[in-house]
Amino acid sequence: MPIIQGSDDLDTPLMVQLVKAMNWAHQNLQMEIEKSGAAPFNINQGIVLSNILLGINRPSDLAREMEISRQAVSIILKQLEGRGIIELIADPQHKLAKIVRMLPNDENEGILDVIHHARNVTEARLKKRIGAVKFKTLRAALGSSWGPIGEYQKGEKNP
């Protein structure tokens, strides 16, 4: 059943709206990926893969970036490795560390194209539905630094 994200109800808590928005975006991405004939990714695999594509290639850095445990990242990486999308190789600079590397093959080049296309289609769909001005504002708000988790900034008061 498709998710219909949002409503004009401004009383809905922002955190609920953010979760619904993430679900909407994820399901749209998966729908586009499935249209290509590729197997979909679960939301955690998608987030890890997105970070890898942004150049974060150490499991410990992925865990820090996503603010989840290294064990959780390890499970997700094993799933992606099992699908033949990535491999873990020894880090030449640190004996005990690993580096995540996309496997260089035609199928993976294809999946990267599919992911990029799915992302572009999903963003275009959102922009069309909410309008260019709201889309630009949303992008700016989400791209802003929100500061450290759980810490008040200088001059900020506890609500």
Side-chain angles (χ1 to χ4, degrees):
M1 168 188 273
I3 287 183
I4 300 173
Q5 192 284 325
S7 70
D8 291 331
D9 180 8
L10 297 178
D11 292 331
T12 302
L14 178 63
M15 295 304 115
V16 173
Q17 292 174 343
L18 285 171
V19 169
K20 286 182 175 183
M22 183 66 181
N23 272 335
W24 182 92
H26 174 71
Q27 289 199 15
N28 271 271
L29 281 167
Q30 295 314 306
M31 183 180 68
E32 293 301 322
I33 289 170
E34 285 184 83
K35 281 182 187 177
S36 75
F41 298 96
N42 69 40
I43 197 162
N44 294 325
Q45 292 168 343
I47 293 169
V48 167
L49 196 52
S50 294
N51 280 286
I52 293 168
L53 295 174
L54 290 173
I56 301 170
N57 66 353
R58 290 177 179 216
S60 59
D61 292 340
L62 287 164
R64 193 174 310 108
E65 180 69 23
M66 295 174 59
E67 298 179 0
I68 62 175
S69 71
R70 290 187 351 191
Q71 292 83 358
V73 168
S74 178
I75 290 167
I76 298 164
L77 291 175
K78 284 182 182 179
Q79 293 167 349
L80 292 171
E81 196 173 30
R83 288 182 62 176
I85 295 170
I86 59 117
E87 68 178 342
L88 292 168
I89 59 173
D91 183 341
Q93 297 176 341
H94 300 282
K95 279 188 174 184
L96 300 177
K98 298 281 186 188
I99 293 176
V100 179
R101 183 173 80 112
M102 295 294 293
L103 282 172
N105 62 43
D106 291 341
E107 186 174 319
N108 283 346
E109 289 299 317
I111 195 66
L112 293 179
D113 290 341
V114 165
I115 290 167
H116 289 299
H117 174 74
R119 184 187 65 219
N120 291 339
V121 167
T122 298
E123 287 184 14
R125 184 176 291 133
L126 178 60
K127 187 175 184 178
K128 182 177 180 183
R129 290 184 182 175
I130 69 173
V133 173
K134 285 182 180 177
F135 183 83
K136 184 177 180 181
T137 303
L138 178 62
R139 181 182 286 271
L142 294 175
S144 298
S145 173
W146 293 9
I149 291 175
E151 296 179 16
Y152 290 102
Q153 300 295 325
K154 193 173 188 173
E156 203 175 34
K157 292 184 180 178
N158 187 347

